[in-house]
Amino acid sequence: MHTLLRLLIGGGVLLCSVLLAQRLPNPDLFGDYVAACAWWQRLPEHLWLAGLSRCDADVDYNAFGPGAHPPFSTVFFLPLGFLAWTDARLAWLIMSGACLIGVWRYYRVPVSVCAATALFGVFGLYRGTMAPFLFALMMVALSQEEERPLFSAALIGLAAAIKGYPALMLAALVIARRLNALIAGIVTGGLATAAGDLVLGIGKTGAWMGHMTPNALAWRINPDNLSLVRIAGDFVPQLSPLVVAVALFGAAVALLINAPHGQVRMHTLVPTTLLVTPLVWSHYIVHTGLLQLTRLEQVLLFAGSGLIFLGILGIFPFQSAAIAYGPVLAALVLIWHRAWRSGTELSVRKKLSGAAPSESSIPNC
């Protein structure tokens, strides 16, 4: 029954994503698709002709500046350059949806958690983001955190090369003095980043890093930014978002180090990462599905995502942080508090023990 319910929720996620995609002609994926097509243009004719022949002929490939994503993330989209734009978008949506639903099924994520975070999956899918893929990658990493720490850290390093913010979770390895795992994560992330530069062109990573600060400043006040950095920027707008993020992260980690449970693991840093990353869009919140959630947290996440969804449809006209995003921020703060109070409650290791998590295993409020 639980498997059937997960599949039904997943089917609803895919359907909503396909319908919403029609309302967003140029999603997050479009920049990476253009970069992929432009890359094919620079190759010898016998290599790029097949792919370029189906790229959108009306796209001005020279009109795009540094991308908002690390270069290594664009490498994932290079095969999509062989498809027409509409086909490439649909293919990425299906692959990303398969990642999300596959993780729900394989790790037997409680149905209530799937339902509570499903709309955040929808936001990631119809916007053509990397969030559903990163969700799957991070779930594998966190499920292996104790049994295979080197492998787990390497996957987080790979995730950091794709999107950046997962790198914050490696701080747990410093605190726990897991030097070998930390090196594995840094080396993997570094090699992946170098590979992105080698494939797309030397200097792409530097251009992306130079674009980070102005990009964070430009989007800091956007109501879809759920980070505490945005709230801090409302009060002290002259401060750099990156400086504020580092300060908040340091304060949060210092509190976790002195927490009652006395342990900091990568999974306990997930809520911290979501709270302090300079730009946290609503689709990032799908990562709360990596953790065990209390009933109250599930209700808050479901309510918040529902209000955001109604805002996207134009039914709920007030998409302000206080109204639409307040419940989501409250849920993140509650999850962080549980990480501080008893970090083991957030663990995702149950699949490896051979016993699947049951609906009754969800912690109560």
Side-chain angles (χ1 to χ4, degrees):
M1 179 59 69
H2 291 165
T3 297
L4 177 60
L5 290 174
R6 291 185 194 97
L7 291 176
L8 288 175
I9 294 172
V13 166
L14 289 175
L15 178 61
C16 288
S17 301
V18 170
L19 294 177
L20 280 179
Q22 302 174 18
R23 305 168 63 96
L24 189 66
N26 295 329
D28 207 42
L29 171 65
F30 186 65
D32 293 295
Y33 174 78
V34 169
C37 289
W39 184 81
W40 283 110
Q41 276 191 318
R42 291 194 295 270
L43 291 177
E45 183 175 352
H46 69 281
L47 292 177
W48 59 254
L49 186 59
L52 184 63
S53 64
R54 302 194 65 185
C55 285
D56 193 333
D58 296 327
V59 172
D60 180 6
Y61 299 104
N62 298 316
F64 292 82
H69 303 152
F72 184 65
S73 67
T74 302
V75 174
F76 280 86
F77 295 104
L78 289 181
L80 297 182
F82 285 91
L83 301 174
W85 162 237
T86 53
D87 296 334
R89 184 180 187 183
L90 180 60
W92 183 250
L93 190 152
I94 293 173
M95 289 187 293
S96 299
C99 287
L100 183 65
I101 299 170
V103 164
W104 283 349
R105 171 66 185 92
Y106 181 77
Y107 287 96
R108 302 186 188 180
V109 176
V111 172
S112 57
V113 174
C114 296
T117 58
L119 284 175
F120 297 114
V122 171
F123 302 152
L125 289 174
Y126 95 90
R127 290 170 180 167
T129 72
M130 297 290 292
F133 175 75
L134 284 176
F135 175 82
L137 187 62
M138 291 166 64
M139 178 65 94
V140 176
L142 296 182
S143 68
Q144 304 278 339
E145 186 173 2
E146 299 299 327
E147 283 75 10
R148 302 172 65 188
L150 297 181
F151 176 68
S152 175
L155 290 182
I156 293 298
L158 186 64
I162 294 171
K163 197 59 179 172
Y165 61 86
L168 295 178
M169 295 164 61
L170 294 176
L173 303 176
V174 178
I175 298 168
R177 299 180 182 178
R178 295 186 169 188
L179 183 58
N180 290 338
L182 177 64
I183 292 173
I186 293 175
V187 169
T188 302
L191 289 176
T193 300
D197 252 24
L198 289 174
V199 173
L200 300 179
I202 302 299
K204 291 291 186 181
T205 298
W208 168 72
M209 293 180 67
H211 182 63
M212 286 175 61
T213 297
N215 189 52
L217 284 169
W219 293 103
R220 179 175 59 183
I221 61 174
N222 190 290
D224 197 30
N225 182 10
L226 292 166
S227 174
L228 290 180
V229 176
R230 176 188 180 274
I231 297 176
D234 290 339
F235 293 97
V236 194
Q238 63 270 25
L239 291 180
S240 165
L242 297 180
V243 172
V244 175
V246 171
L248 288 174
F249 183 71
V253 170
L255 289 173
L256 287 172
I257 292 174
N258 296 291
H261 59 81
Q263 293 184 351
V264 178
R265 295 290 184 263
M266 287 195 294
H267 67 264
T268 61
L269 287 184
V270 171
T272 301
T273 299
L274 291 175
L275 282 168
V276 307
T277 303
L279 300 178
V280 178
W281 308 120
S282 54
H283 51 267
Y284 286 27
I285 311 302
V286 73
H287 297 320
T288 56
L290 298 167
L291 310 170
Q292 296 184 61
L293 302 175
T294 66
R295 300 297 185 188
L296 176 58
E297 291 158 2
Q298 292 173 23
V299 169
L300 289 171
L301 289 171
F302 183 79
S305 62
L307 290 173
I308 296 170
F309 183 67
L310 293 176
I312 292 172
L313 295 178
I315 298 174
F316 180 67
F318 305 104
Q319 222 180 46
S320 68
I323 300 176
Y325 298 104
V328 180
L329 284 171
L332 289 175
V333 171
L334 288 175
I335 299 170
W336 182 91
H337 181 262
R338 276 199 302 123
W340 174 83
R341 185 188 65 200
S342 180
T344 56
E345 289 186 12
L346 303 184
S347 178
V348 292
R349 295 178 58 220
K350 291 185 177 181
K351 175 65 183 176
L352 295 180
S353 66
S358 63
E359 297 300 306
S360 61
S361 67
I362 304 171
N364 291 317
C365 301

